[in-house]
Amino acid sequence: QVQLVESGGDLVQPGGSLRLSCAASGIIFTVYRMSWYRQAPGKQRELVAAITDGGSTSYADFVKGRFAISRDNAKNTAYLQMNSVKPEDAAVYYCSADLSTVLPGLHYWGQGAQVTVSS
């Protein structure tokens, strides 16, 4: 079965750093677009960052210069490096594996990793 397992969610201080990991199984990882989304209480889920199968990255304006998405195809793992964390970054962060450009609706999700920002 397809599994996306996030890890690394934690309590982090404002201005601090955190690295989230997403380990994938059950998919041909190398061909998928990998993304990180987040959802805060009372807010809609929003795209944070994405990385293509070729390694091209894109970011939401609110994380540009602070977050970095990457992937290690040998480990079937995607990462989100979060630096200079702000209180408004607190959310549940979801990993996704997306092949919907090939087949609409082919989009898998992890269960989420809680990121709490507090001093």
Side-chain angles (χ1 to χ4, degrees), residues 70-95:
S70 61
R71 66 192 297 159
D72 186 339
N73 288 339
K75 297 181 178 180
N76 286 359
T77 301
Y79 305 93
L80 184 68
Q81 179 66 48
M82 305 168 60
N83 298 325
S84 302
V85 169
K86 301 176 180 180
E88 54 263 42
D89 294 323
V92 177
Y93 283 72
Y94 296 93
C95 175

PDB file of all heavy atoms in Angstrom, residues 70-95:
ATOM      1  N   SER A  70      13.480  19.650  -0.420  1.00  0.00           N
ATOM      2  CA  SER A  70      14.461  18.838  -1.121  1.00  0.00           C
ATOM      3  C   SER A  70      13.968  17.399  -1.174  1.00  0.00           C
ATOM      4  O   SER A  70      12.980  17.046  -0.528  1.00  0.00           O
ATOM      5  CB  SER A  70      15.837  18.923  -0.448  1.00  0.00           C
ATOM      6  OG  SER A  70      15.779  18.442   0.885  1.00  0.00           O
ATOM      7  N   ARG A  71      14.662  16.585  -1.945  1.00  0.00           N
ATOM      8  CA  ARG A  71      14.310  15.175  -2.016  1.00  0.00           C
ATOM      9  C   ARG A  71      15.563  14.348  -2.196  1.00  0.00           C
ATOM     10  O   ARG A  71      16.544  14.788  -2.802  1.00  0.00           O
ATOM     11  CB  ARG A  71      13.314  14.910  -3.159  1.00  0.00           C
ATOM     12  CG  ARG A  71      13.874  15.149  -4.561  1.00  0.00           C
ATOM     13  CD  ARG A  71      12.761  15.159  -5.608  1.00  0.00           C
ATOM     14  NE  ARG A  71      12.076  13.878  -5.694  1.00  0.00           N
ATOM     15  CZ  ARG A  71      10.853  13.716  -6.191  1.00  0.00           C
ATOM     16  NH1 ARG A  71      10.170  14.775  -6.635  1.00  0.00           N
ATOM     17  NH2 ARG A  71      10.311  12.506  -6.238  1.00  0.00           N
ATOM     18  N   ASP A  72      15.521  13.144  -1.668  1.00  0.00           N
ATOM     19  CA  ASP A  72      16.583  12.175  -1.829  1.00  0.00           C
ATOM     20  C   ASP A  72      15.943  10.937  -2.424  1.00  0.00           C
ATOM     21  O   ASP A  72      15.327  10.143  -1.712  1.00  0.00           O
ATOM     22  CB  ASP A  72      17.257  11.874  -0.489  1.00  0.00           C
ATOM     23  CG  ASP A  72      18.472  10.984  -0.628  1.00  0.00           C
ATOM     24  OD1 ASP A  72      18.592  10.280  -1.650  1.00  0.00           O
ATOM     25  OD2 ASP A  72      19.313  10.986   0.290  1.00  0.00           O
ATOM     26  N   ASN A  73      16.073  10.789  -3.726  1.00  0.00           N
ATOM     27  CA  ASN A  73      15.404   9.680  -4.403  1.00  0.00           C
ATOM     28  C   ASN A  73      15.943   8.318  -3.970  1.00  0.00           C
ATOM     29  O   ASN A  73      15.212   7.329  -3.984  1.00  0.00           O
ATOM     30  CB  ASN A  73      15.531   9.839  -5.915  1.00  0.00           C
ATOM     31  CG  ASN A  73      14.677  10.958  -6.463  1.00  0.00           C
ATOM     32  OD1 ASN A  73      13.707  11.386  -5.830  1.00  0.00           O
ATOM     33  ND2 ASN A  73      15.034  11.444  -7.644  1.00  0.00           N
ATOM     34  N   ALA A  74      17.206   8.264  -3.587  1.00  0.00           N
ATOM     35  CA  ALA A  74      17.778   7.011  -3.124  1.00  0.00           C
ATOM     36  C   ALA A  74      17.140   6.542  -1.826  1.00  0.00           C
ATOM     37  O   ALA A  74      17.131   5.351  -1.525  1.00  0.00           O
ATOM     38  CB  ALA A  74      19.284   7.141  -2.950  1.00  0.00           C
ATOM     39  N   LYS A  75      16.609   7.485  -1.056  1.00  0.00           N
ATOM     40  CA  LYS A  75      15.962   7.165   0.216  1.00  0.00           C
ATOM     41  C   LYS A  75      14.451   7.255   0.157  1.00  0.00           C
ATOM     42  O   LYS A  75      13.783   7.059   1.174  1.00  0.00           O
ATOM     43  CB  LYS A  75      16.477   8.087   1.313  1.00  0.00           C
ATOM     44  CG  LYS A  75      17.956   7.945   1.607  1.00  0.00           C
ATOM     45  CD  LYS A  75      18.381   8.883   2.724  1.00  0.00           C
ATOM     46  CE  LYS A  75      19.849   8.713   3.046  1.00  0.00           C
ATOM     47  NZ  LYS A  75      20.281   9.632   4.134  1.00  0.00           N
ATOM     48  N   ASN A  76      13.900   7.560  -1.011  1.00  0.00           N
ATOM     49  CA  ASN A  76      12.453   7.748  -1.168  1.00  0.00           C
ATOM     50  C   ASN A  76      11.906   8.725  -0.129  1.00  0.00           C
ATOM     51  O   ASN A  76      10.848   8.501   0.473  1.00  0.00           O
ATOM     52  CB  ASN A  76      11.710   6.415  -1.072  1.00  0.00           C
ATOM     53  CG  ASN A  76      11.871   5.550  -2.308  1.00  0.00           C
ATOM     54  OD1 ASN A  76      12.520   5.932  -3.280  1.00  0.00           O
ATOM     55  ND2 ASN A  76      11.274   4.368  -2.278  1.00  0.00           N
ATOM     56  N   THR A  77      12.614   9.811   0.061  1.00  0.00           N
ATOM     57  CA  THR A  77      12.281  10.741   1.126  1.00  0.00           C
ATOM     58  C   THR A  77      12.329  12.176   0.635  1.00  0.00           C
ATOM     59  O   THR A  77      13.239  12.559  -0.103  1.00  0.00           O
ATOM     60  CB  THR A  77      13.242  10.566   2.309  1.00  0.00           C
ATOM     61  OG1 THR A  77      13.152   9.221   2.795  1.00  0.00           O
ATOM     62  CG2 THR A  77      12.878  11.507   3.445  1.00  0.00           C
ATOM     63  N   ALA A  78      11.342  12.953   1.052  1.00  0.00           N
ATOM     64  CA  ALA A  78      11.319  14.389   0.826  1.00  0.00           C
ATOM     65  C   ALA A  78      11.490  15.100   2.156  1.00  0.00           C
ATOM     66  O   ALA A  78      11.137  14.568   3.209  1.00  0.00           O
ATOM     67  CB  ALA A  78      10.016  14.820   0.161  1.00  0.00           C
ATOM     68  N   TYR A  79      12.002  16.315   2.093  1.00  0.00           N
ATOM     69  CA  TYR A  79      12.304  17.073   3.299  1.00  0.00           C
ATOM     70  C   TYR A  79      11.778  18.493   3.178  1.00  0.00           C
ATOM     71  O   TYR A  79      11.632  19.038   2.084  1.00  0.00           O
ATOM     72  CB  TYR A  79      13.814  17.150   3.537  1.00  0.00           C
ATOM     73  CG  TYR A  79      14.507  15.816   3.588  1.00  0.00           C
ATOM     74  CD1 TYR A  79      15.077  15.266   2.440  1.00  0.00           C
ATOM     75  CD2 TYR A  79      14.600  15.101   4.773  1.00  0.00           C
ATOM     76  CE1 TYR A  79      15.715  14.043   2.475  1.00  0.00           C
ATOM     77  CE2 TYR A  79      15.239  13.875   4.813  1.00  0.00           C
ATOM     78  CZ  TYR A  79      15.798  13.355   3.661  1.00  0.00           C
ATOM     79  OH  TYR A  79      16.432  12.138   3.706  1.00  0.00           O
ATOM     80  N   LEU A  80      11.517  19.076   4.319  1.00  0.00           N
ATOM     81  CA  LEU A  80      11.245  20.499   4.395  1.00  0.00           C
ATOM     82  C   LEU A  80      12.102  21.079   5.509  1.00  0.00           C
ATOM     83  O   LEU A  80      11.876  20.792   6.686  1.00  0.00           O
ATOM     84  CB  LEU A  80       9.764  20.788   4.665  1.00  0.00           C
ATOM     85  CG  LEU A  80       9.388  22.266   4.668  1.00  0.00           C
ATOM     86  CD1 LEU A  80       9.511  22.858   3.261  1.00  0.00           C
ATOM     87  CD2 LEU A  80       7.970  22.473   5.202  1.00  0.00           C
ATOM     88  N   GLN A  81      13.086  21.863   5.123  1.00  0.00           N
ATOM     89  CA  GLN A  81      13.922  22.560   6.083  1.00  0.00           C
ATOM     90  C   GLN A  81      13.276  23.896   6.393  1.00  0.00           C
ATOM     91  O   GLN A  81      13.056  24.707   5.492  1.00  0.00           O
ATOM     92  CB  GLN A  81      15.328  22.777   5.530  1.00  0.00           C
ATOM     93  CG  GLN A  81      16.270  23.527   6.468  1.00  0.00           C
ATOM     94  CD  GLN A  81      16.587  22.743   7.711  1.00  0.00           C
ATOM     95  OE1 GLN A  81      16.919  21.568   7.633  1.00  0.00           O
ATOM     96  NE2 GLN A  81      16.489  23.393   8.865  1.00  0.00           N
ATOM     97  N   MET A  82      12.960  24.107   7.650  1.00  0.00           N
ATOM     98  CA  MET A  82      12.277  25.304   8.093  1.00  0.00           C
ATOM     99  C   MET A  82      13.239  26.126   8.945  1.00  0.00           C
ATOM    100  O   MET A  82      13.674  25.678   9.999  1.00  0.00           O
ATOM    101  CB  MET A  82      11.026  24.953   8.900  1.00  0.00           C
ATOM    102  CG  MET A  82      10.066  24.027   8.167  1.00  0.00           C
ATOM    103  SD  MET A  82       8.765  23.344   9.245  1.00  0.00           S
ATOM    104  CE  MET A  82       7.955  24.833   9.796  1.00  0.00           C
ATOM    105  N   ASN A  83      13.558  27.311   8.483  1.00  0.00           N
ATOM    106  CA  ASN A  83      14.427  28.220   9.207  1.00  0.00           C
ATOM    107  C   ASN A  83      13.687  29.508   9.522  1.00  0.00           C
ATOM    108  O   ASN A  83      12.700  29.846   8.884  1.00  0.00           O
ATOM    109  CB  ASN A  83      15.683  28.540   8.391  1.00  0.00           C
ATOM    110  CG  ASN A  83      16.534  27.334   8.105  1.00  0.00           C
ATOM    111  OD1 ASN A  83      16.639  26.431   8.931  1.00  0.00           O
ATOM    112  ND2 ASN A  83      17.159  27.311   6.934  1.00  0.00           N
ATOM    113  N   SER A  84      14.204  30.231  10.498  1.00  0.00           N
ATOM    114  CA  SER A  84      13.602  31.503  10.900  1.00  0.00           C
ATOM    115  C   SER A  84      12.102  31.370  11.097  1.00  0.00           C
ATOM    116  O   SER A  84      11.306  32.163  10.592  1.00  0.00           O
ATOM    117  CB  SER A  84      13.920  32.590   9.858  1.00  0.00           C
ATOM    118  OG  SER A  84      15.315  32.757   9.700  1.00  0.00           O
ATOM    119  N   VAL A  85      11.726  30.364  11.848  1.00  0.00           N
ATOM    120  CA  VAL A  85      10.320  30.039  12.042  1.00  0.00           C
ATOM    121  C   VAL A  85       9.587  31.176  12.758  1.00  0.00           C
ATOM    122  O   VAL A  85      10.119  31.771  13.704  1.00  0.00           O
ATOM    123  CB  VAL A  85      10.196  28.715  12.820  1.00  0.00           C
ATOM    124  CG1 VAL A  85       8.777  28.481  13.280  1.00  0.00           C
ATOM    125  CG2 VAL A  85      10.666  27.567  11.951  1.00  0.00           C
ATOM    126  N   LYS A  86       8.383  31.442  12.300  1.00  0.00           N
ATOM    127  CA  LYS A  86       7.527  32.469  12.876  1.00  0.00           C
ATOM    128  C   LYS A  86       6.335  31.822  13.561  1.00  0.00           C
ATOM    129  O   LYS A  86       5.952  30.703  13.224  1.00  0.00           O
ATOM    130  CB  LYS A  86       7.027  33.419  11.784  1.00  0.00           C
ATOM    131  CG  LYS A  86       8.114  34.134  11.013  1.00  0.00           C
ATOM    132  CD  LYS A  86       7.512  34.977   9.902  1.00  0.00           C
ATOM    133  CE  LYS A  86       8.582  35.702   9.125  1.00  0.00           C
ATOM    134  NZ  LYS A  86       8.002  36.520   8.036  1.00  0.00           N
ATOM    135  N   PRO A  87       5.712  32.521  14.506  1.00  0.00           N
ATOM    136  CA  PRO A  87       4.526  31.955  15.151  1.00  0.00           C
ATOM    137  C   PRO A  87       3.444  31.541  14.163  1.00  0.00           C
ATOM    138  O   PRO A  87       2.765  30.530  14.389  1.00  0.00           O
ATOM    139  CB  PRO A  87       4.047  33.084  16.067  1.00  0.00           C
ATOM    140  CG  PRO A  87       5.296  33.823  16.410  1.00  0.00           C
ATOM    141  CD  PRO A  87       6.121  33.786  15.156  1.00  0.00           C
ATOM    142  N   GLU A  88       3.275  32.282  13.078  1.00  0.00           N
ATOM    143  CA  GLU A  88       2.254  31.953  12.105  1.00  0.00           C
ATOM    144  C   GLU A  88       2.579  30.707  11.286  1.00  0.00           C
ATOM    145  O   GLU A  88       1.739  30.232  10.513  1.00  0.00           O
ATOM    146  CB  GLU A  88       1.978  33.136  11.163  1.00  0.00           C
ATOM    147  CG  GLU A  88       3.214  33.683  10.476  1.00  0.00           C
ATOM    148  CD  GLU A  88       3.790  34.898  11.179  1.00  0.00           C
ATOM    149  OE1 GLU A  88       3.854  34.897  12.423  1.00  0.00           O
ATOM    150  OE2 GLU A  88       4.176  35.860  10.472  1.00  0.00           O
ATOM    151  N   ASP A  89       3.781  30.158  11.445  1.00  0.00           N
ATOM    152  CA  ASP A  89       4.130  28.903  10.800  1.00  0.00           C
ATOM    153  C   ASP A  89       3.569  27.689  11.544  1.00  0.00           C
ATOM    154  O   ASP A  89       3.645  26.574  11.022  1.00  0.00           O
ATOM    155  CB  ASP A  89       5.645  28.751  10.685  1.00  0.00           C
ATOM    156  CG  ASP A  89       6.273  29.769   9.755  1.00  0.00           C
ATOM    157  OD1 ASP A  89       5.653  30.110   8.727  1.00  0.00           O
ATOM    158  OD2 ASP A  89       7.394  30.221  10.057  1.00  0.00           O
ATOM    159  N   ALA A  90       3.069  27.887  12.728  1.00  0.00           N
ATOM    160  CA  ALA A  90       2.492  26.782  13.490  1.00  0.00           C
ATOM    161  C   ALA A  90       1.312  26.190  12.729  1.00  0.00           C
ATOM    162  O   ALA A  90       0.392  26.906  12.326  1.00  0.00           O
ATOM    163  CB  ALA A  90       2.062  27.257  14.869  1.00  0.00           C
ATOM    164  N   ALA A  91       1.344  24.893  12.528  1.00  0.00           N
ATOM    165  CA  ALA A  91       0.317  24.221  11.747  1.00  0.00           C
ATOM    166  C   ALA A  91       0.609  22.726  11.735  1.00  0.00           C
ATOM    167  O   ALA A  91       1.656  22.278  12.203  1.00  0.00           O
ATOM    168  CB  ALA A  91       0.292  24.747  10.307  1.00  0.00           C
ATOM    169  N   VAL A  92      -0.319  21.975  11.183  1.00  0.00           N
ATOM    170  CA  VAL A  92      -0.044  20.598  10.818  1.00  0.00           C
ATOM    171  C   VAL A  92       0.478  20.607   9.388  1.00  0.00           C
ATOM    172  O   VAL A  92      -0.172  21.156   8.489  1.00  0.00           O
ATOM    173  CB  VAL A  92      -1.292  19.710  10.929  1.00  0.00           C
ATOM    174  CG1 VAL A  92      -0.976  18.289  10.467  1.00  0.00           C
ATOM    175  CG2 VAL A  92      -1.804  19.698  12.359  1.00  0.00           C
ATOM    176  N   TYR A  93       1.634  20.020   9.191  1.00  0.00           N
ATOM    177  CA  TYR A  93       2.270  19.986   7.883  1.00  0.00           C
ATOM    178  C   TYR A  93       2.055  18.619   7.245  1.00  0.00           C
ATOM    179  O   TYR A  93       2.356  17.593   7.843  1.00  0.00           O
ATOM    180  CB  TYR A  93       3.761  20.293   8.009  1.00  0.00           C
ATOM    181  CG  TYR A  93       4.034  21.760   8.216  1.00  0.00           C
ATOM    182  CD1 TYR A  93       3.741  22.368   9.431  1.00  0.00           C
ATOM    183  CD2 TYR A  93       4.555  22.542   7.187  1.00  0.00           C
ATOM    184  CE1 TYR A  93       3.964  23.721   9.615  1.00  0.00           C
ATOM    185  CE2 TYR A  93       4.785  23.894   7.368  1.00  0.00           C
ATOM    186  CZ  TYR A  93       4.491  24.482   8.584  1.00  0.00           C
ATOM    187  OH  TYR A  93       4.721  25.831   8.766  1.00  0.00           O
ATOM    188  N   TYR A  94       1.553  18.634   6.024  1.00  0.00           N
ATOM    189  CA  TYR A  94       1.225  17.416   5.302  1.00  0.00           C
ATOM    190  C   TYR A  94       2.133  17.231   4.100  1.00  0.00           C
ATOM    191  O   TYR A  94       2.307  18.151   3.297  1.00  0.00           O
ATOM    192  CB  TYR A  94      -0.222  17.446   4.812  1.00  0.00           C
ATOM    193  CG  TYR A  94      -1.257  17.481   5.905  1.00  0.00           C
ATOM    194  CD1 TYR A  94      -1.756  18.693   6.372  1.00  0.00           C
ATOM    195  CD2 TYR A  94      -1.744  16.310   6.466  1.00  0.00           C
ATOM    196  CE1 TYR A  94      -2.706  18.736   7.367  1.00  0.00           C
ATOM    197  CE2 TYR A  94      -2.698  16.339   7.467  1.00  0.00           C
ATOM    198  CZ  TYR A  94      -3.177  17.559   7.915  1.00  0.00           C
ATOM    199  OH  TYR A  94      -4.127  17.589   8.909  1.00  0.00           O
ATOM    200  N   CYS A  95       2.664  16.059   3.974  1.00  0.00           N
ATOM    201  CA  CYS A  95       3.432  15.665   2.807  1.00  0.00           C
ATOM    202  C   CYS A  95       2.482  15.126   1.745  1.00  0.00           C
ATOM    203  O   CYS A  95       1.504  14.445   2.066  1.00  0.00           O
ATOM    204  CB  CYS A  95       4.448  14.596   3.207  1.00  0.00           C
ATOM    205  SG  CYS A  95       5.386  13.879   1.849  1.00  0.00           S
TER     206      CYS A  95
END
